């Protein structure tokens, strides 16, 4: 929920410029990337990955909720960065645990289901935020987000208890194994994914784009509510496509699904770059981007799970997550600067150019050998 309301809190309540949103989101994603590298080293050990997942979910929930009491933009930035760092720490552990729980031939459907459930939760967040903003204010809505966050902690504890008990094993040293992960086909895949992430701007910039386009026509309050509904549509599209995308990837290769998702992102950014202040084209941009992220996130995780040996699985997911976060750092900061100094259209055209390059790289990889 804080993701959907963060643009309104920063620009309307606190009076911060658009570049502040880009910097806060970029820094938060950067710290999350560093934490994901550390989380990858922890997740190579089966015992540590369980404790890391539980601690990461709990810390994320608490810090995200506290954004509601922040009085300045820098306080929002500190809390957002802390929450995203904790979130980053838990990601490799969660993904490695899922790979432990399902057979290789079902990775696509398993990660598709995980992504669908994550996005389904993101749908409920904006809808609840919409009701709370109407009844109270933005700050109250953000504070309430701590409740579903803690429920997620309960869910991960339940899921871990359903896994087979660990047998006695030697405790592994905490060390991120980068070189072994970057060998062979997985290293080639990371090149294409890096290009994608360099254009994968924070979704809050999509929300801000809708907010700024619609405010002159509909007024501030109505524009915020419409933007929340558009964000819900983005997550609904991602939810509906994730499982089918994973199923297609299981049958026909994950790189095919990745390339398709990247191409959809390019189309969505072009729509948002050229859209006028009417809801239908903006909605199309959000929905197409949602379908794209549903395909890409599912296929990324499933491809890494297939290619990484079990004893390197934590490091592989940590490196993937770091590529995601550091790419987002560059994408969000540069897009925020272009937005402020040039125009919102320039920001989205920049992102679209990276998507075209990523599509070409992934298409070349698929031509050589599908993952």
């Amino acid at each position: 929920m804080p993701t959907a309301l963060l643009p309104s809190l920063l620009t309307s309540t606190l009076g911060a410029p658009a570049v502040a949103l880009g910097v806060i989101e970029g820094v938060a994603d950067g710290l999350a990337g560093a934490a994901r590298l550390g989380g990858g080293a922890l997740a190579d050990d089966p015992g540590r990955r369980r404790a890391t997942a539980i601690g990461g979910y709990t810390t994320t929930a608490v810090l995200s909720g506290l954004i509601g009491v922040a009085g300045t933009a820098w306080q929002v930035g500190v809390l957002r960065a802390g929450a995203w760092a904790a979130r980053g720490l838990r990601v490799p552990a969660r993904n490695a645990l899922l790979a432990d729980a399902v057979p290789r031939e079902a990775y696509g459907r398993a990660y598709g289901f995980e992504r669908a459930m994550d996005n389904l939760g993101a749908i409920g967040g904006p809808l609840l935020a919409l009701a709370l903003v109407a009844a109270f204010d933005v700050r109250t809505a953000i504070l309430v987000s701590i409740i579903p966050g803690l429920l997620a902690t309960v869910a991960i504890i339940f899921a871990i208890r359903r896994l087979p008990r660990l047998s006695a094993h030697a405790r592994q040293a905490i060390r991120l194994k980068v070189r072994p992960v970057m060998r062979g086909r997985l290293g080639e895949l990371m090149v294409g994914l890096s290009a994608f992430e360099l254009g994968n701007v924070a979704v809050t910039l999509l929300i801000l784009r809708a907010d700024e386009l619609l405010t002159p026509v509909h007024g501030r309050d109505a524009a915020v509510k419409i933007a929340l509904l558009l964000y819900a549509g983005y997550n609904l599209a991602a939810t509906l496509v994730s499982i089918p995308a994973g199923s297609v990837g299981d049958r026909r290769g994950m790189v095919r699904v990745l390339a398709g998702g990247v191409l959809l992102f390019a189309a969505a950014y072009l729509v948002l770059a050229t859209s006028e202040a009417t809801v239908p084209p903006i909605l199309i941009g959000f929905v197409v981007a949602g379908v794209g992220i549903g395909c890409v996130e599912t296929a990324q995780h499933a491809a890494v799970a297939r290619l990484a040996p079990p004893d390197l699985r934590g490091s592989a997911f940590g490196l993937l997550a770091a590529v995601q976060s550091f790419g987002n750092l560059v994408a969000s900061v540069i897009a925020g600067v272009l937005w402020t100094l040039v125009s919102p259209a320039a920001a989205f055209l920049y992102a679209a150019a990276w998507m075209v390059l990523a599509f070409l790289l992934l298409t070349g990889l698929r031509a050589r050998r599908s993952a």
Side-chain angles (χ1 to χ4, degrees):
M1 190 190 305
T3 296
L5 294 175
L6 194 61
S8 179
L9 176 68
L10 280 170
T11 59
S12 297
T13 305
L14 299 178
V19 68
L21 177 64
V23 170
I24 286 173
E25 289 296 84
V27 170
D29 280 331
L31 288 175
R36 288 173 180 185
L37 283 173
L42 290 170
D44 277 334
D45 183 271
R48 290 194 187 102
R49 72 179 56 148
R50 301 184 181 203
T52 301
I54 294 170
Y57 272 93
T58 303
T59 305
T60 302
V62 173
L63 294 182
S64 294
L66 288 177
I67 291 174
V69 300
T72 63
W74 73 263
Q75 291 173 348
V76 172
V78 169
L79 290 168
R80 182 72 163 176
W84 249 228
R87 185 183 185 188
L89 197 66
R90 82 191 189 201
V91 167
R94 180 199 65 199
N95 289 334
L97 285 170
L98 183 55
D100 292 342
V102 299
R104 186 177 186 275
E105 61 271 16
Y107 281 161
R109 283 161 286 169
Y111 286 101
F113 181 79
E114 183 272 327
R115 288 289 83 208
M117 293 301 100
D118 187 77
N119 288 308
L120 186 61
I123 294 170
L127 294 178
L128 178 58
L130 182 61
L132 290 172
V133 167
F136 301 102
D137 56 23
V138 170
R139 290 185 180 276
T140 301
I142 293 175
L143 280 169
V144 169
S145 71
I146 195 171
I147 297 174
L150 292 177
L151 290 176
T153 301
V154 174
I156 195 68
I157 292 172
F158 176 80
I160 287 173
R161 288 183 175 178
R162 302 283 292 181
L163 292 175
R165 289 185 177 274
L166 293 174
S167 58
H169 67 284
R171 197 84 162 176
Q172 294 188 30
I174 300 176
R175 182 172 64 88
L176 187 71
K177 307 176 185 73
V178 176
R179 287 186 179 179
V181 170
M182 289 303 297
R183 291 174 185 152
R185 295 164 59 194
L186 183 56
E188 295 177 3
L189 177 67
M190 287 293 180
V191 175
L193 295 181
S194 297
F196 166 76
E197 298 300 345
L198 286 169
N200 184 19
V201 300
V203 69
T204 46
L205 291 176
L206 277 66
I207 298 169
L208 182 60
R209 176 63 166 162
D211 194 12
E212 290 190 352
L213 284 172
L214 297 174
T215 293
V217 177
H218 298 276
R220 186 65 190 176
D221 291 342
V224 170
K225 294 174 184 177
I226 294 171
L228 290 174
L229 289 173
L230 291 170
Y231 181 56
Y234 167 92
N235 285 301
L236 177 61
T239 299
L240 294 176
V241 79
S242 293
I243 296 175
S247 181
V248 171
D250 283 335
R251 298 194 311 269
R252 307 190 66 182
M254 292 301 164
V255 174
R256 184 191 297 270
V257 177
L258 273 171
V262 168
L263 194 60
L264 288 171
F265 258 104
Y269 287 157
L270 290 174
V271 169
L272 291 169
T274 59
S275 180
E276 298 180 353
T278 55
V279 173
I282 301 173
L283 175 61
I284 290 172
F286 271 74
V287 170
V288 172
V291 174
I293 199 65
C295 292
V296 170
E297 287 187 342
T298 296
Q300 280 180 330
H301 296 142
V304 170
R306 283 186 175 186
L307 295 175
D311 60 332
L312 294 176
R313 198 165 277 157
S315 290
F317 278 117
L319 190 58
L320 169 65
V323 167
Q324 293 168 335
S325 287
F326 288 125
N328 291 163
L329 168 62
V330 176
S332 297
V333 171
I334 293 179
V337 171
L338 288 172
W339 189 306
T340 302
L341 299 181
V342 185
S343 69
F348 284 106
L349 290 174
Y350 162 81
W354 277 109
M355 293 299 156
V356 172
L357 177 59
F359 175 77
L360 295 175
L361 290 170
L362 290 169
T363 301
L365 174 62
R366 177 175 165 262
R368 291 192 298 275
R369 180 182 288 182
S370 174

